Amino acid sequence: MKPELIPVLDRQTIAQLVCDLGAKISEDYRGRPLVLIGVLKGAFIFLSDLVRSLQIPVEIDFIQVASYGSGTASSGEIRLCKPVDVDVRNKDVLLVEDIVDTGLTLQFLLDYLSAMEPASLNVCAMIDKRERRRTGVSIAYAAHRTQEGFLVGYGLDYDQKYRELPEIYHLQF
Ligand code: IMP
Ligand code: MG
């Protein structure tokens, strides 16, 4: 049977959430050299909207890891596919994620980035999904918090599908 798409966040709601987040980040980092690092592929749409809602200059880079196969649960095995190119040493770094689920990917990335001695390291996630969290990672900025469910759209995929949808949906199997 084909999975059903149940609307969670529409375009207007997403735009407002991202705009509010951009304003908050601009306020917190004003006057400091900030590097935004988007986690590929999921965060590409969120990051591109977020940077356009900022009122401060930033550097942008991407990092890519692989953990999920084609299922909906983290394998816990994380592999770095694309390292960062920008020099983050002594700069403020904001890691931009599409969604944090177990937190295992995030923990791996935070360990990797802290070794590069940034001045500070925080996390900004489009979605903070709590139910399956297995690490104590703290998420400084989250556009939307939810308990459970598998979400797609606005960059989020299921087996590489649905990323192009401008809204966020709950994928009901
Ligand atoms: P974690 O390591 O379990 O926190 O998983 C993080 C990664 O798994 C995210 O960056 C997503 O790529 C993917 N992921 C986790 N939950 C979802 C979801 O609900 N929809 C789509 N991707 C998800
Ligand atoms: Mg993914």
Side-chain angles (χ1 to χ4, degrees), residues 54-74:
L54 294 174
Q55 292 122 34
I56 54 168
V58 290
E59 285 183 85
I60 299 169
D61 200 358
F62 291 95
I63 192 167
Q64 187 166 17
V65 289
S67 64
Y68 275 32
S70 56
T72 61
S74 178

Side-chain angles (χ1 to χ4, degrees), residues 42 68 98 156-157 160 163:
Y68 275 32
D98 53 353
L156 291 155
D157 75 305
Q160 303 303 328
R163 292 195 201 275

Side-chain angles (χ1 to χ4, degrees), residues 116-132:
M116 298 177 163
E117 303 180 342
S120 73
L121 180 56
N122 279 311
V123 178
C124 174
M126 181 61 210
I127 293 158
D128 178 358
K129 186 169 75 176
R130 302 287 179 77
E131 193 186 48
R132 299 198 289 200

